[in-house]
Amino acid sequence: MSRRRRLSVGTGTAALSLGLCLCAGQLISTPAASAAAPVLTAAQASAKVNPLVRTSVSARTINKGQLVRVTAKYFNPKTHKAVSYGWVRLQAFRGGKWVTQSAGKVNTAGSVNLYMRPASTVSLRAVYLANAGYNQGTGGSIRITVRNRGAAVLAEAKRHTGALYKFGAAGPTRFDCSGFTEYVFKKAAGKNLPHKANSQQHYGTAVSKSAAQVGDLIIFRSGSYGYHAGIYAGGGYMYDSPHTGARVGKHKMYGSNYVVRRLV
């Protein structure tokens, strides 16, 4: 074999090893090389969209045990249309980290409702999960204040400050002592009490004086007979409707012969 032929054969072997074919003096890609998997450019990899979100809640202050609804609505910032697919997580900030509480799927209108029943004050957020078309989208943190039911009872009692005493009255503008407690517990906590202080002392759970909390029912007694009712306001004070000529207000508790009953 001539030197020239050996050179030609060597060149063709080298070309084939690179995935090329030497034809009529030109290098042409072979099918094997052209079928290799394409590599995405940085521009193509960043083609996914960051969704815009509007988040709202059913209430920012709730009673303990009440259900709160977080609504998240997602939009495509390029088309201004609703993001009609994808999953969203509801997260609560607990122990220094965000913890998933529930999850839901976005509907065709770009909206999802997520629910939680917080036991204490907490911050919540909605997180849209990344997929083929969209990047992950984290909504802003929303603070939910959870108050115990006793605080709700006390708040209702405060609302009637200044109402005149009237014997036998149970609201909403005039009250006697047991009529006042009857009305407040029904309005604030859905609790039904009889219109008599002596009977009210048998409702709820007995609590020691030292463990009394805001919103507890206080019944003053003569011996074992209950003759006056009020709502504990903390610090040795109560809200009550004292007597004829007086008005509902925050008054200093008197005497030591009373019982504490917890209804909420």
Side-chain angles (χ1 to χ4, degrees), residues 55-62 68 121-122 141-146:
T55 310
S56 60
V57 292
S58 55
R60 289 179 180 268
T61 300
I62 62 172
V68 62
T121 297
V122 67
S141 174
I142 300 174
R143 184 79 166 172
I144 305 297
T145 300
V146 179

Side-chain angles (χ1 to χ4, degrees), residues 201-215:
Q201 71 172 318
H202 302 297
Y203 281 70
T205 302
V207 177
S208 67
K209 295 182 177 68
S210 61
Q213 295 179 2
V214 166

Side-chain angles (χ1 to χ4, degrees), residues 176-182 185 193-194 196-198 200-201 216-221 226-232 238-242 254 259:
D176 64 11
C177 70
S178 61
F180 174 66
T181 52
E182 176 191 7
F185 276 100
L193 291 174
K196 191 172 183 182
N198 188 54
Q200 288 184 4
Q201 71 172 318
D216 284 343
L217 174 66
I218 304 294
I219 302 293
F220 289 87
R221 306 196 302 177
Y227 67 88
H228 184 64
I231 295 171
Y232 190 59
M238 65 181 175
Y239 275 88
D240 67 337
S241 183
Y254 54 87
V259 293

Side-chain angles (χ1 to χ4, degrees), residues 63 149-161 163 169-195 200 214-218 229-233 238-241 248-249 263-264:
N63 294 325
R149 298 292 293 277
V153 170
L154 186 64
E156 180 63 31
K158 287 181 180 180
R159 274 192 279 272
H160 301 283
T161 298
T173 58
R174 299 286 185 93
F175 305 93
D176 64 11
C177 70
S178 61
F180 174 66
T181 52
E182 176 191 7
Y183 181 90
V184 169
F185 276 100
K186 176 66 174 178
K187 187 76 172 180
K191 301 294 183 179
N192 293 311
L193 291 174
H195 191 167
Q200 288 184 4
V214 166
D216 284 343
L217 174 66
I218 304 294
I231 295 171
Y232 190 59
M238 65 181 175
Y239 275 88
D240 67 337
S241 183
V248 170
L263 279 76
V264 296

Side-chain angles (χ1 to χ4, degrees), residues 105-130:
K105 195 174 183 180
V106 172
N107 62 26
T108 55
S111 179
V112 60
N113 289 321
L114 302 166
Y115 299 88
M116 183 183 176
R117 205 180 295 275
S120 58
T121 297
V122 67
S123 292
L124 301 177
R125 71 180 187 182
V127 181
Y128 181 89
L129 302 183

